[in-house]
Amino acid sequence: MIVVGVDDSAPGDAALTWAMQRATKVDCPVTLVHTVYDTWMAEGYGYYDSIVDAEKKLLLDAQAKATALNPHIPTHTELRHGNAPRVLAEFSDEASLIVVGTDKKGRFEGELFGSVSLQVAALARCPVAIIPELNDPVGLTRSGVVVGVDGSADSVAAVAIAAAEADRTGQELTAIYAPPTPSSTNLRFIPTQAVEERMEEERIVLAESVAGLTTRYPDLVVHQRIEKDAYPARVLVAAAHEAQLLVVGSHGRGALARLMLGSVSHEVLLHIPCPTIITTVRHPKK
């Protein structure tokens, strides 16, 4: 099941289009979710019914558009009350993917911990796709899948999803690793040989991260890029500027610790260049 966060924004519309495109390719049902914030209303208020009716119409209009995009994909609507990121996260144990539009400038309800899309990615227990408003929403003028690599468990999950997506869509995969390097001041005191040996170790990390992909996906073309003296988020944003998809690990360790995500995934979403999937390693519920 693919879950889509529905609202009346342009990025929300882009998210619905992207989600239906993906659902078509993987033959997966879609659940459209819209949230009414209880902060602004309660059943005792005189305008309650009017607001609920308007929100129901918004959902029905979204379902009509989804059906127009592909009448063969089953769609279901859910109107919920509460905080949108937490409501969407409730679906993440059953969903294969949650899709939301980006609101990187933030909204009232997202000011404390970043935008709504950031919070969804932080709280969800499944991959989350964040879709910006693009001139080419279905990606016909874009090519390639880019994935960030760093050797962590989150990175392994990101590579697995990125490789599957690249193979499924017939795109080439570019794995990028920007390992931490000493400052120019500190490099003055580190022997050149030691630096070279460390960089060779980092190349092994990158190679091991994509090892076996071409065996599993014989037609998949995999490129490896290691970037020295570069900030990872900036490298990924630049590399994915014309890509169909960017995949990044969340570096999460449970819901509370992930409220701000890792610095790289957070920065990527603030400068999102293309449809981006934030992956997470599922941890057992406590």
Side-chain angles (χ1 to χ4, degrees):
M1 173 180 67
I2 294 174
V3 173
V4 186
V6 172
D7 60 22
D8 57 357
S9 69
D13 189 61
L16 177 59
T17 300
W18 188 91
M20 289 303 298
Q21 180 195 33
R22 191 178 192 280
T24 297
K25 291 180 178 178
V26 299
D27 192 22
C28 179
V30 173
T31 296
L32 310 174
V33 180
H34 181 62
T35 305
V36 180
Y37 283 90
D38 290 329
T39 305
W40 297 100
M41 59 183 295
E43 290 191 31
Y45 293 174
Y47 49 77
Y48 175 85
D49 289 339
S50 297
I51 290 179
V52 170
D53 288 344
E55 304 290 26
K56 287 180 179 178
K57 183 178 184 306
L58 186 153
L59 260 181
L60 289 175
D61 288 346
Q63 187 176 35
K65 177 174 181 179
T67 301
L69 289 168
N70 188 339
H72 303 294
I73 295 295
T75 60
H76 172 68
T77 63
E78 290 277 352
L79 181 62
R80 298 288 184 92
H81 288 226
N83 175 274
R86 296 189 181 281
V87 168
L88 287 167
E90 290 174 1
F91 288 88
S92 62
D93 280 323
E94 288 74 37
S96 60
L97 182 69
I98 294 177
V99 184
V100 293
T102 182
D103 59 342
K104 58 186 175 181
K105 292 182 180 178
R107 296 179 182 172
F108 175 82
E109 66 271 14
E111 287 179 355
L112 181 59
F113 290 112
S115 70
V116 171
S117 53
L118 267 172
Q119 291 185 67
V120 174
L123 292 169
R125 289 167 52 81
C126 72
V128 176
I130 297 93
I131 313 301
E133 184 182 4
L134 299 169
N135 293 330
D136 179 21
V138 295
L140 295 178
T141 62
R142 296 171 167 269
S143 64
V145 175
V146 176
V147 61
V149 169
D150 65 8
S152 68
D154 296 88
S155 171
V156 171
V159 169
I161 287 179
E165 289 292 318
D167 182 71
R168 181 178 60 79
T169 56
Q171 298 294 315
E172 296 184 1
L173 176 67
T174 300
I176 298 178
Y177 181 29
T181 54
S183 67
S184 56
T185 300
N186 291 338
L187 276 174
R188 292 183 302 169
F189 306 102
I190 302 175
T192 301
Q193 182 179 352
V195 174
E196 292 176 350
E197 289 175 353
R198 178 58 183 269
M199 289 309 300
E200 184 57 33
E201 292 174 359
E202 303 293 15
R203 291 187 185 92
I204 293 173
V205 169
L206 175 57
E208 289 180 344
S209 296
V210 298
L213 290 183
T214 53
T215 299
R216 183 172 184 180
Y217 305 110
D219 297 326
L220 180 63
V221 176
V222 180
H223 304 282
Q224 300 180 43
R225 276 178 51 186
I226 190 163
E227 297 282 348
K228 299 185 292 184
D229 305 319
Y231 186 62
R234 294 173 189 168
V235 171
L236 291 171
V237 168
H241 187 67
E242 297 298 332
Q244 279 198 359
L245 183 69
L246 171 62
V247 185
V248 184
S250 69
H251 290 280
R253 294 296 182 269
L256 182 61
R258 292 175 56 221
L259 280 174
M260 290 299 287
L261 291 123
S263 61
V264 173
S265 50
H266 192 157
E267 187 71 16
V268 163
L269 291 187
L270 291 177
H271 301 88
I272 187 168
C274 67
T276 300
I277 293 179
I278 304 296
T279 67
T280 183
V281 177
R282 290 182 186 262
H283 296 279
K285 286 185 175 181
K286 295 183 179 180

